[in-house]
Amino acid sequence: MQRLVAVASTVISLTLALALVYIYVSPVIAAGILASILAGLATGAGALPALFVRDFSHRTLYIMLGGAAGVMLAATAFSLIVPGIQYGNQIWPGKGIFAVALGMMIGALFLEAADRLLPYERFLAEKGELIGSLRKIWLFIVAITLHNFPEGMAVGVSFGGGDWHNGATLAIAVGLQNIPEGLAVAMPLVGMGYDRRQAVLIATLTGLVEPIGGAVGLGMVSAFFPLLPLGMAFAAGAMLFVISDDIIPETQSRGKMRAATFAVMIGFIVMMILDNLFS
């Protein structure tokens, strides 16, 4: 009962806050915050099968991750890079492509620096968990939590530019990508003996970093519109880094997975078609 009251209070408070933002600030910003929250909660939705199934085929999980990577690749290209170049050309005629190229490299270098500087292993050692499979699982969880931030920021940046279509498309893509990530977090925890509900909660919390990133992205481009193309490019570079450094290698971690490779292509094609159909 206490948990239900806490959840209900949180939902009511959030709804009131969003209503105030919608009325007094901007409907687009309210939509961006809501979209980043829903995209983050998709991680928890993806973890729900852990409540009922103890074991999940690695092949199935990797195919899901591959499809999600393809979706994210298409969303990065058509909802961040292309409009980023267009906005850049409006602000700096003929130089939008260079602004986007610079922003993408900054985004990738930012995550590279974060991966190197954040003390994952030292933190886990202090907790007494620097052993075997459990160590790998928690490193994966920390990495996913870190990398969810730029995904949320990408959604915020897209809505901050006032483009509902790009913002909604990117939020859907991020949400779809978060579903298999949630499952990838929860299932190993269940296998290591964690309570099922606790595993789902941990997976959900990894996704709730995204609304924070969304708020940062919204605030950045709303206050300084000339930063919009650079913000989009930064988010695109960060997401390309995550896809190529984490998600795709994970799908191939048990040897060459041709099915996962085709899933990447199918995810990209489906998202490309959807993005252009509703443009």
Side-chain angles (χ1 to χ4, degrees), residues 121-179:
E121 296 196 10
R122 188 178 67 192
F123 171 80
L124 293 174
E126 289 172 356
K127 296 295 183 181
E129 294 177 350
L130 195 57
I131 51 172
S133 298
L134 192 58
R135 170 180 173 271
K136 293 180 181 178
I137 291 168
W138 275 101
L139 286 173
F140 180 62
I141 291 171
V142 172
I144 284 181
T145 303
L146 170 66
H147 294 153
N148 277 338
F149 182 83
E151 292 176 1
M153 193 181 75
V155 175
V157 167
S158 294
F159 275 99
D163 192 327
W164 290 76
H165 170 257
N166 277 342
T169 300
L170 195 61
I172 291 170
V174 170
L176 290 174
Q177 184 257 339
N178 282 344
I179 292 173

